[in-house]
Amino acid sequence: MIHTYAEIPEPLRGQIQALQDEAWPSPPTDGPVHDPALQPLSMVLVEDGVVLAALDILRKQLEHAGNTFQAGGLSTVVTRADIRGQGHGRRLVSAARARMIDEHLDLGLFTCDSPLLPFYESAGWQHLPGTVLIGGTPNDPFPSDQPGFDKVTLGAFFTAAAQQAAATFRQARIALYPGQIDKLW
């Protein structure tokens, strides 16, 4: 099931929120989960009315190494704790990669905690060693290599232009700047 975040049926939205709260406990907020400017697209794996896994695809124009790309990234990837390891999350993350191609994105880039690297690689994403995403804003940057973070960057290059520029994304500091709500995706 694929929806814009606002289109997710309320019963499923509640289940997704509960999974996210379990994975990333934080105080409740009245604001949006994602900046609407990033055009969030939610993907939800549901079986018999139960959310098994969910994620959001965020997107924005990215200027990098003299080129302009339509870039997307994964955010809030979560699978029910009691069914992890059964392939549901991998299936959804693989489907998200395919959806980014369908959405005519040039490339996908995102960070994850380093222990999750094998999971994302098994779903078709490439590790970009030494690559740092700089989130936040130009006036308030939020780099993925800041002290206390254990993040790695993953990517996929979908279009010919992105494939030609792929080397410029390795061992690079990429000014993503998705804003203050998402900081990093």
Side-chain angles (χ1 to χ4, degrees), residues 9-157:
E10 190 56 44
L12 297 182
R13 193 180 304 183
Q15 289 183 56
I16 294 166
Q17 185 62 54
L19 292 177
Q20 291 172 346
D21 290 345
E22 181 183 313
W24 308 286
S26 61
T29 177
D30 290 334
V33 173
H34 299 295
D35 185 335
L38 299 175
Q39 304 171 49
L41 182 65
S42 298
M43 296 183 68
V44 185
L45 183 58
V46 180
E47 187 175 283
D48 297 326
V50 176
V51 173
L52 304 179
L55 60 77
D56 295 316
I57 298 172
L58 305 178
R59 65 186 296 163
K60 73 176 301 260
Q61 188 169 291
L62 173 68
E63 305 287 332
H64 177 71
N67 295 302
T68 302
F69 300 99
Q70 292 301 315
L74 300 183
S75 182
T76 59
V77 178
V78 65
T79 301
R80 286 175 46 116
D82 61 331
I83 59 166
R84 288 186 187 143
Q86 296 179 24
H88 301 297
R90 180 176 299 106
R91 192 166 95 199
L92 191 60
V93 168
S94 294
R97 188 179 181 286
R99 181 61 187 225
M100 287 181 178
I101 295 168
D102 293 344
E103 292 286 318
H104 306 288
L105 297 177
D106 296 305
L107 57 98
L109 287 172
F110 64 97
T111 62
C112 74
D113 294 334
S114 63
L116 295 173
L117 178 61
F119 165 76
Y120 286 104
E121 287 179 318
S122 75
W125 293 92
Q126 296 175 28
H127 180 211
L128 301 176
T131 299
V132 174
L133 294 186
I134 303 171
T137 66
N139 292 332
D140 189 15
F142 191 83
S144 64
D145 66 346
Q146 64 186 288
F149 268 27
D150 184 19
K151 301 285 186 188
V152 294
T153 302
L154 292 109
F157 304 95

